[in-house]
Amino acid sequence: YAPTWTRLAATAPAGAAELRLQAAVNWGVGDQVAVATSAYRDLLEDQNEIRTVAAVSADRRTLTLNAPLKFGHYGGGEYQSEVALLTRAIRLLGVSGTAAAALGPHLHAESSARVAGVLAYRFGQRNALGRYPFHFHMLGDGAGSYVTDSAVYNSYYRCYVVHGTSNARLENNVGFSVDGSCFYLEDGVEERNLIAGNFAGLVRPIGTPAGGSSQAGVTIEESATVAQPADSNAAGYYLTNPNNDLVGNAASGGAIGFTTVVLQKPIGMSRDVALVPAARPWGAFRGNTAHSSGYFAYQTGGCIYFGGA
């Protein structure tokens, strides 16, 4: 399918049953789409909507939906809500009934891996480190490895995780309805990865969101309910090393859309690597957009944030 997501070409008001799109799509009747919120506070005013395509116009830029929209979705000059395809021809499905335990399957790659055009639905295992829908685990040099054109929907723990791996690619993917950060670099040693053309939406912090009344911050300890304290500040894109390329990605919701933290040394399984993540050069960061996040952090935080220990 191409593209895997696009944006509205015009505002879709509440009650509308059509979406005008910026890009022509080859999506079909019966496909599922997610229409991202345009509300300021994503989780507190959840206005994300899932619909099924009932018809596609001849120019492929108008979708008729199976049911009218409950909320309005903005598509003005300043910014536009994203519309993301959730359907894929290849489907990996966690069985029904997994939600209560938040215990789904996971795809764990410890050597070269190539994944394209795959849906992972009801995947991931909440608070089980290493149990993510798509996971490059300690590949070292991951050149030639990629996940492209895929989708993660209703994830119990993150979406696309790059751990101890450099030079891999995450391109043109969708993550929607996710517990914990969606696109996640884990230890701080991950470098020169290309993260391009992706969409992350409806990202939920785990546990109590890391907010406060000022920039003094809060301290969150590891616990049974939050195995990785950073997930209380879940982001669409969470980087622990700036030496990676982020190009043309979009984030909707989460505690923050994009965040890069300051690490003076690697963490986790890479804690003994002699590298200072905070001292690494910046890769590319261009063409990225974020909205409907930042409100957990002293009520007026940013959608894109660099810094923080």
Side-chain angles (χ1 to χ4, degrees):
Y1 296 98
T4 54
W5 63 277
T6 182
R7 292 184 170 93
L8 291 176
T11 295
E18 286 190 344
L19 301 176
R20 286 285 297 152
L21 307 178
Q22 292 186 17
V25 299
N26 65 354
W27 311 345
V29 172
D31 288 345
Q32 266 196 325
V33 295
V35 187
T37 183
S38 53
Y40 166 50
R41 302 183 300 177
D42 179 28
L43 294 175
L44 302 184
E45 311 171 42
D46 185 1
Q47 296 184 11
N48 298 279
E49 303 192 64
I50 305 294
R51 291 293 185 272
T52 300
V53 177
V56 185
S57 65
D59 67 358
R60 316 300 296 181
R61 291 177 183 266
T62 300
L63 303 181
T64 301
L65 306 176
N66 67 322
L69 295 167
K70 183 177 179 181
F71 304 103
H73 298 266
Y74 187 69
E78 313 94 320
Y79 71 97
Q80 307 85 35
S81 291
E82 297 86 0
V83 181
L85 182 70
L86 300 178
T87 299
R88 296 295 186 275
I90 302 170
R91 298 178 297 161
L92 306 178
L93 308 179
V95 297
S96 60
T98 56
L103 189 68
H106 62 103
L107 194 155
H108 180 99
E110 295 191 2
S111 60
S112 181
R114 298 174 176 86
V115 179
V118 176
L119 166 67
Y121 177 61
R122 294 191 296 235
F123 259 52
Q125 300 177 8
R126 188 178 303 141
N127 285 316
L129 298 181
R131 301 297 185 256
Y132 319 120
F134 294 113
H135 178 199
F136 291 144
H137 180 73
M138 307 302 288
L139 271 63
D141 185 358
S145 292
Y146 57 77
V147 180
T148 68
D149 305 288
S150 295
V152 173
Y153 175 35
N154 274 356
S155 169
Y156 304 131
Y157 205 25
R158 305 191 182 137
C159 296
Y160 307 87
V161 175
V162 179
H163 184 197
T165 300
S166 298
N167 301 310
R169 292 191 294 123
L170 301 175
E171 291 190 88
N172 303 323
N173 300 297
V174 167
F176 187 78
S177 188
V178 182
D179 293 337
S181 294
C182 189
F183 293 82
Y184 186 83
L185 303 188
E186 194 154 346
D187 283 355
V189 299
E190 301 82 11
E191 298 195 320
R192 300 177 303 281
N193 295 288
L194 175 63
I195 303 171
N198 304 287
F199 169 68
L202 191 52
V203 176
R204 293 179 290 268
I206 297 176
T208 302
S213 60
S214 73
Q215 293 190 49
V218 295
T219 298
I220 296 176
E221 300 286 346
E222 178 182 337
S223 68
T225 55
V226 186
Q228 169 50 271
D231 285 313
S232 65
N233 204 40
Y237 303 80
Y238 187 96
L239 280 75
T240 51
N241 186 313
N243 191 20
N244 292 277
D245 293 340
L246 273 74
V247 180
N249 303 287
S252 172
I256 302 175
F258 296 80
T259 186
T260 298
V261 297
V262 175
L263 288 183
Q264 297 303 325
K265 58 184 180 180
I267 59 177
M269 295 180 67
S270 306
R271 65 177 65 87
D272 294 327
V273 176
L275 181 148
V276 180
R280 301 300 293 151
W282 278 99
F285 188 91
R286 64 176 183 270
N288 302 298
T289 63
H291 65 88
S292 304
S293 64
Y295 52 89
F296 285 119
Y298 47 94
Q299 289 78 57
T300 55
C303 286
I304 299 176
Y305 183 81
F306 304 112

